[in-house]
Amino acid sequence: MSENTPHQIKKVMISSTALDLPEHREEVMDACLRQGMFPIMMEHLSAIDADAAEKSLAMVDDASIYLGVLAYRYGYVPDANNPEQISITEMEYNRAVERGIPRLIFFMDKSHPLTAADMDEDTSDPVETARRKVKLAELKKRAGKKRVAASFKSPTDLRAQVIQALVPYRESDLATFHYVSDIPTPPEAFIAHPYTLLQTHRLVGRQPELNLLTDWVARPDSEIYKAHILNIVAIGGLGKSALTWKWFNDIAPQEMKPLAGRMWWSFYESDATFENFVSRALAYVTRWNLDEVQQIPAPEREAQLLAALDREPFLIVLDGLERILIAYARMDAAHLSDDDYDRQTANFVANAIGLPEGATQSFTGEHRLRKSADPRAGGFLRKLANVRASRILVSTRLYPADLQMGTGAPLPGCYAVFLTGLADDDALELWRAFGASGGRDSLLPLFQRADNHPLLIQALASEVARDRRAPGDFDAWRRVHPDFNPFSLPLMQVKSHVLEFALRGLGDKAQRVLRIIAAFRMPARYDTLASLLIGEGKPCADERELDEVLTELEDRGLVGWDKRANRYDLHPLVRGVVWSSLGDDARRGVYTSLHAHFQAVPKIDDYLEVNSLEDLTPAIELYNTLIGLGRYDDAGRLFARYLYKAMLYRLCFSRQCSELLLLLFPDGPDQSARWENLEAQVFIFALAGASFIGGQPREAARLFLCYHQFLQGAKALQKWGAKALKKEAGSVLCGVAISLHHSGALHEAEVAALQSLCIAREQGSRIEEANSLFFLGLLFAARGMVHEAETALCRACRIFVAYGADEYHGVSRAFLAQRELWLGNAATALALADWARELAHVQCSKHDIVRAERLRGTAAINLNDLTGADKRLYSALTQARAVNLVLEELPTLIALAELRRQGDMEAAREFLDDVWDAAERGPYPRFHADACNVLAQIEQDEGNQAKAVEAATKAYRLAWCDGPPFAYHWGLEKARKHLRELGADEPEMPPFDESKFEPMPEVEIDPEDEFHAGKSSDN
């Protein structure tokens, strides 16, 4: 089901006077919410409200179900002229009868403790008391047996009765996985995903941190006031989300005035992608319709959101930002244990509040894990730091490297606060709030051993408070658990040790329910849990039992309930500990249950009907369960049928596609022992293609080579035969060649392309020969071998024309256009690019169209057609970004920077700023060198001599690649020119060492045959 298809929620009118049974009514309200129904009630009306009857009847008219809760007292409509006055409750019931809606009535049992006080002593007037008893008896008789759900003896008994009575009226929805909140009109707060994991009904402690947040927006003389992005950084369970949630709701509205609006967005949600955030945030701050916003190209959406936040004062909270960073941007992010992620990711920020003394900075190696997985998101964050009118509050497990300078300090406009444990007194208060006792002298050493970690304190306190032998007595609990000894463990093991004991007291049902919820990568809907957990052989016999278990887990602070969406989630720390504690057999049992459930959920079979990643959720979850069960062949088949084309070609989600594909190879793509079906090895090839499209040419080359190595094995030969394997190997070598070319390994790239050409000639495959030739032509052209490049590309064109392969013919023309641009022949390049653009229409290949547009725009710059260049380059950039085509986005940005350099230096620098990160990550040394050369010219034009030399020197080093003659010729020559003009020396670089490389195959590029230039007029 699409995320835009709302689930219809039934409304339940809860009928009883607001003066009666407030605790009971609250339980009934929660019972309705548990069943995914919305309770409506008249809590604010008194018995003498003149409009009470009219308002209550209007609510009955709005309801789908009438639910009456009756003790003895009625709310009467005062009427001196009518001694036979009718109660509001009876009027509501009569209206429900008239409407013919289901009527569920619950009468207080005579044994209920309230009966004596409420019924027998209701009034001093015995006549009035008798009259009301008669009324109650009459209503009970009128209701009839079919309309009386049950009698209740206590609030919890009433809750259980209501839960079960509503079951027949709940319309189960197993195909909806995400909750899509309505977008209100500012200044009303937009809470896209409410926080549900607060330790208690109120935040305990954190007053210094709350004061600091208030200083951030209210005190111009405070140190952090100038920061526009404030990052609250903490390990899981320390309460960063709870802190920001409390301040967002209760304090910020009072302190931030004027305030145009407030938005809370949590990246922990399954559908809370960066793209969805930008779309919904823009719709909110501009008051535009979401459908209209989604029609705007992605880059323009981002620019308009930044402009709106710079124009009006909004407060935006980004909760759980680590989920968009490389470290957590993976399918199993919900199950990661983050104990040592500080060390792995160099999670330190210079001059930050809260870092322990002696914390050092290390910004090499794994600090890249703190970069955003999507470079566009990283660029957006950096630009967000320059917004002036609005404030951005971030809570995150890791400080984003995109908001950090090379020195380790935050970017200008950013600030970091590292959250530590609770103060001692606050830790004690939290412990006692959960009903646990104990002396200060015995508790504080324990708390301090766990760094006063609030989640650990609450979890252990809940367990101690529920101990049947001595409820709440910590000393008695410890005597019964002599193996509880966190003091003997390394600090990194203390959390799991404490949580293990905190979970021991759970019954078998609660343990099984907790495991099922932990298995989900996202919050689970109630309908899904009911399907998985209720029935024969399952933990719960009926919905009353499931409600009891969920209530216990909520009361312990282990499970969060989003009542608005009726979804259930675990704190990441709890999820990680629960999941890691399961053995293989237990995990298999959980995955077996999930598989049976998701197997039955409808999936979209035609990839052309997929409009969003959310549409693929049932297939993704089923795929995940198959991986968990070790059924890799089945997972591969499912991926091929439902996910591959939809993700890579329809949605162009190459990164997410790669994440899923990697799960097929738990031992790495070069280890395939777990596969039973050898043909499934083709997924290594698919993974390589997804990596290449997603902007990772070096990783793509490695994966292509893994697949090529597999093709050389005896098993593959036995399965497919020599001829088929040879042909497949030739195709793979083309992928190796182009990937190595873009990642700077020019010699190896040329070897692979020539090997591919040899295979094509052996096989007699003309199309494969031409494919190898146009890759070779691009390689030759980049090295400055312009004549060899022309020979290879023109022969490829002749073959493609002869075989009617117009799409590939267009690619060859595009590569010829690039050659002409390097040579400075702009007019010829434009003609060739126009030809390539025309041929791209044959298959409507997005890559071919974008490439041709980019080449046309670049040629227009050199022909001084600045208007045409601007139009074509912006078109290419928009289309490249729409499908995450990094390979075309980067050279387009560089061309736009060159265009803007002629009049708007600041805009030129902004385009280059979008290049650096992706070019380094790829890596794309050729594009990186081009960008550095443009920067060198900008610095030179502005008189920044030293910076110009620095940029030109970097361009030189990047263009060097393997060393001449296997260098990026054009980038190297341009860098040399800059350095000469600047009077600077060329840097020392290692020369090309032929002995370190495989020998170059000897093969004639244009042999004497029917496609030789001399025998064809098609040049």
Side-chain angles (χ1 to χ4, degrees), residues 750 753-758 761 766 769-770 772-780 783 785-799 1000-1009 1011-1013:
E750 197 165 315
L754 288 170
Q755 289 174 339
S756 175
L757 179 59
C758 290
R761 295 255 174 87
R766 290 298 191 183
E769 176 189 350
S772 303
L773 285 168
F774 74 50
F775 286 130
L776 268 172
L778 182 63
L779 290 167
F780 290 154
R783 289 211 289 126
M785 300 169 60
V786 293
H787 298 299
E788 294 86 344
E790 183 178 23
T791 299
L793 289 169
C794 286
R795 181 178 175 89
C797 286
R798 290 192 293 273
I799 294 174
M1000 194 72 70
E1002 293 185 8
V1003 55
E1004 191 172 354
I1005 301 302
D1006 189 20
E1008 294 281 348
D1009 60 14
F1011 293 105
H1012 183 58

Side-chain angles (χ1 to χ4, degrees), residues 522-585:
M522 57 186 174
R525 288 174 53 86
Y526 180 79
D527 289 337
T528 301
L529 294 181
S531 173
L532 287 165
L533 296 167
I534 297 173
E536 186 176 353
K538 298 178 180 178
C540 302
D542 55 28
E543 302 209 20
R544 285 177 291 193
E545 287 192 8
L546 177 58
D547 175 65
E548 290 174 5
V549 172
L550 290 174
T551 300
E552 179 188 355
L553 294 175
E554 292 155 21
D555 289 344
R556 284 175 175 263
L558 299 173
V559 169
W561 178 21
D562 178 359
K563 295 183 179 181
R564 180 180 65 170
N566 203 17
R567 299 197 305 167
Y568 302 80
D569 200 7
L570 302 183
H571 192 284
L573 178 59
V574 176
R575 190 189 302 274
V577 169
V578 170
W579 192 249
S580 63
S581 67
L582 298 181
D584 291 341
D585 290 342

